Amino acid sequence: MKGILRKHFSAICVLLVVLGFATVVFSEDKPAQQQVPAGEAAASAPDTSASAAVLPATPGLKPDPSGTNTGGAADVAGATANGPTAADLKNLATNEPLALKLADVIGHDRIALNFMWTLVCGFLVFFMQAGFAMVETGFTRAKNAAHTMSMNLMIFVFGVLGYWVCGFALQMGGIGAVPLAGGTGLLNGEFIMHLFGKDFGLFGTKGFFLSGVGYDVSIVTLFLFKVVFMDMAATIPTGAMAERWTFKSFVIFGFFISMFTYPLYANWVWGGGWLSQLGRNFGLGHGVLDFAGSSVVHMVGGVSALAGAKVLGPRIGKYRKDGTPNAIPGHHIPMAIVGCLVLFFGWFGFNSGSTLAGADLRIGVIAVNTMLASAAASFSAMLYMWFIFGKPDLSMCANGLLAGLVAITAPCAFVSTVGAVIIGLVAGVLCCLSVFFVERKLKVDDPVGAVSIHGTCGAWGMIALGLFADGTYGDGLNNVPGTVKGLFYGGQSQFVAELIGVAVNFVFVFGVMYAFFKILNRFIPLRVHAEVELEGLDRYEVAVEAYPDFNQRKTPFS
């Protein structure tokens, strides 16, 4: 069986695409059922049925591939708290025809502003891929540099295709209208499980292959912004599993996480799924909130990295016979530091762009909170290493910077600048402690600290939102009136919701990815042969050596 699967590796990749196509045919051609009102469900016996629910459709809303019909007077009404109402526009239509035409222009420009803001921020997030490539390659050894770079390049290729096939639809196919506006309301299909009179959204059912209702200017813009976030999550495990991972198994991983694991959890938090509705269903604040992805992006990536690195095992020479770890230094620290700064730059788009609306003036607070938390985390990581080991450690200063960015990603829109600095200070020290715990206690070899930076500090970011949200932002989020308040501001239930989000993330993602890696390893080995690992993966796995003129094969640990 193993030989057959290895021989037909390409056919397996094609099969994934065929299965995705079958999924879209089933999901988009099957008539969607209307959502059962909660009152009716509660009046009967405990309901454990499931259906594909459809959100109320906006009258006359149709896909608009050209964009000529997107944005108009209707997008002016209610755009701001003090803006014109629908009644005002009706009076204008009667008494001032020219004013109504101007309203059409303003409405179109408002949507155009949202498009520009979202796309530019999406481009910034995409540029973070270069930062990841440099960080991970710099922190690993020269003999594996081309292999590490190739994973950072090709994960985007596999991820984009997989997310286009079904990942986007599973994540966002039932979200309904978002602040980007336009035709996003066409994404109104969510597969819902009805349990005990409550609705639990599990995955979206519209937007496969960006066809049908997905062929709309607003929806494809939303796709671009969401796909680069998915790519960040998929990239994270490549650092933790570097220097011993076969490229064949890596390809399968790239499609699996982008098509299934990431979209499902993302739907539960960002796509209108059951975690986001804990507030409406059970009175737990506004449900699980994660403004820009501490859990949806970073915990998914970090927990997947933990599962993969655990199954893969440590690099040869990482641990002595007594179980104590050996340091295996990276080959190019300047490259890693530059990559860290590239990630820092892209993070402004990562967090601020998550408003999906350029006119949301909270973007200034979000950007400053992002900057302050990262600086505070790098500072506290430096002080911790200096105090414990006698010297500041440059690599941990860099990792601390990233840890602060990860931690502030969930609460960036909901906290004050003081809260952001506190969150960052904790994240820097937490990152250092986690790196040593993962390496020494869990015996997991993570060359770049991905599990600690993204997994541990992603969880801290969610908890921090539940603690420090100050009640100045978020009115109406997830259909819950009132602003978002954390435990320190009287919002005990929001804190509970965030804890549930963290727990569900770890249990679901670790369980699914650990099983995936174990099963995959039975058919397509995750790990290269020992002699290949000792000599270097570049020539054997990707056919190109990063440094062909260097003699890299002096010792097993070079």
Side-chain angles (χ1 to χ4, degrees):
M1 177 63 73
K2 293 182 180 180
I4 294 174
L5 286 173
R6 293 173 189 169
K7 183 177 179 181
H8 299 287
F9 173 70
S10 299
I12 294 173
C13 297
V14 174
L15 180 61
L16 286 173
V17 177
V18 173
L19 289 174
F21 181 78
T23 302
V24 65
V25 171
F26 174 81
S27 298
E28 294 211 340
D29 289 348
K30 181 180 178 181
Q33 303 176 23
Q34 290 295 327
Q35 182 175 343
V36 178
E40 295 180 13
S44 62
D47 184 2
T48 57
S49 62
S51 66
V54 179
L55 295 171
T58 302
L61 186 61
K62 298 179 180 179
D64 183 17
S66 68
T68 55
N69 298 316
T70 297
D75 295 295
V76 177
T80 63
N82 298 318
T85 65
D88 293 332
L89 293 179
K90 185 176 181 179
N91 291 333
L92 285 174
T94 302
N95 302 315
E96 300 286 347
L98 178 58
L100 185 61
K101 292 181 179 180
L102 291 174
D104 278 328
V105 173
I106 294 170
H108 186 84
D109 288 348
R110 172 183 167 241
I111 304 302
L113 173 64
N114 289 345
F115 276 28
M116 289 297 295
W117 170 251
T118 302
L119 287 173
V120 169
C121 288
F123 302 153
L124 283 173
V125 177
F126 169 74
F127 188 53
M128 292 171 68
Q129 192 66 45
F132 268 115
M134 297 176 76
V135 167
E136 294 181 3
T137 303
F139 280 141
T140 52
R141 291 170 289 185
K143 64 182 182 180
N144 302 312
H147 183 266
T148 305
M149 274 286 183
S150 69
M151 290 195 296
N152 278 270
L153 170 65
M154 297 308 295
I155 191 61
F156 182 78
V157 174
F158 309 143
V160 166
L161 293 175
Y163 195 69
W164 168 73
V165 170
C166 67
F168 177 76
L170 294 178
Q171 177 183 338
M172 303 299 292
I175 184 61
V178 298
L180 183 67
T184 55
L186 292 164
L187 297 172
N188 63 348
E190 178 79 0
F191 185 87
I192 290 176
M193 184 74 72
H194 306 283
L195 296 173
F196 308 106
K198 306 293 183 182
D199 295 334
F200 293 80
L202 299 180
F203 55 85
T205 62
K206 292 191 176 182
F208 293 92
F209 292 95
L210 290 182
S211 60
V213 298
Y215 190 29
D216 172 85
V217 290
S218 305
I219 292 174
V220 297
T221 299
L222 182 64
F223 170 85
L224 184 141
F225 190 74
K226 292 301 180 182
V227 76
V228 291
F229 276 61
M230 175 282 304
D231 182 58
M232 296 300 102
T235 298
I236 291 165
T238 63
M241 301 172 69
E243 303 201 84
R244 70 267 200 213
W245 195 1
T246 61
F247 203 81
K248 289 181 180 180
S249 60
F250 159 71
V251 173
I252 302 298
F253 156 81
F255 281 103
F256 185 81
I257 194 170
S258 64
M259 295 173 73
F260 304 110
T261 309
Y262 175 87
L264 288 175
Y265 182 79
N267 173 270
W268 300 345
V269 179
W270 284 350
W274 67 278
L275 287 176
S276 69
Q277 299 306 307
L278 291 180
R280 190 175 67 173
N281 284 338
F282 301 102
L284 295 177
H286 287 69
V288 176
L289 294 178
D290 183 356
F291 189 76
S294 287
S295 71
V296 174
V297 176
H298 298 285
M299 269 198 77
V300 168
V303 173
S304 298
L306 176 63
K310 188 70 176 176
V311 175
L312 194 58
R315 292 169 290 177
I316 295 174
K318 176 60 183 177
Y319 292 98
R320 304 182 184 94
K321 291 183 179 180
D322 63 0
T324 57
N326 279 312
I328 303 180
H331 84 286
H332 204 317
I333 299 303
M335 178 192 293
I337 299 305
V338 172
C340 179
L341 293 173
V342 170
L343 286 171
F344 194 174
F345 175 66
W347 227 291
F348 287 111
F350 201 99
N351 286 358
S352 302
S354 293
T355 60
L356 298 177
D360 187 337
L361 300 186
R362 191 69 174 183
I363 56 179
V365 173
I366 294 169
V368 171
N369 281 345
T370 300
M371 180 185 296
L372 288 172
S374 59
S378 184
F379 181 67
S380 64
M382 179 197 72
L383 290 181
Y384 177 84
M385 297 300 292
W386 205 341
F387 179 77
I388 298 298
F389 298 101
K391 291 183 180 179
D393 184 313
L394 179 58
S395 63
M396 290 307 299
C397 291
N399 281 345
L401 186 77
L402 298 179
L405 290 166
V406 169
I408 197 60
T409 296
C412 58
F414 306 109
V415 301
S416 67
T417 57
V418 174
V421 170
I422 296 172
I423 292 168
L425 290 172
V426 173
V429 175
L430 187 62
C431 177
C432 297
L433 293 172
S434 179
V435 165
F436 296 129
F437 178 80
V438 169
E439 180 182 66
R440 298 173 182 177
K441 300 297 183 181
L442 299 182
K443 304 297 181 184
V444 171
D445 182 15
D446 181 359
V448 303
V451 174
S452 299
I453 295 169
H454 301 280
T456 303
C457 292
W460 163 237
M462 294 289 285
I463 294 170
L465 190 161
L467 294 173
F468 293 99
D470 64 1
T472 58
Y473 187 74
D475 187 16
L477 279 178
N478 290 335
N479 300 311
V480 177
T483 54
V484 179
K485 296 180 180 180
L487 180 64
F488 297 153
Y489 295 84
Q492 294 88 346
S493 62
Q494 187 64 53
F495 179 63
V496 174
E498 300 306 310
L499 292 179
I500 292 173
V502 170
V504 170
N505 182 295
F506 184 83
V507 172
F508 170 73
V509 176
F510 187 84
V512 169
M513 294 309 296
Y514 187 83
F516 166 77
F517 284 121
K518 291 288 284 187
I519 294 171
L520 180 62
N521 192 43
R522 293 179 61 87
F523 302 108
I524 302 177
L526 294 180
R527 188 161 186 148
V528 299
H529 294 297
E531 56 269 25
V532 173
E533 183 177 344
L534 292 173
E535 190 167 343
L537 278 64
D538 285 4
R539 184 156 56 109
Y540 293 95
E541 286 290 308
V542 294
V544 174
E545 293 182 279
Y547 307 107
D549 296 331
F550 290 6
N551 181 8
Q552 304 168 21
R553 303 176 180 87
K554 295 179 181 179
T555 70
F557 311 117
S558 60

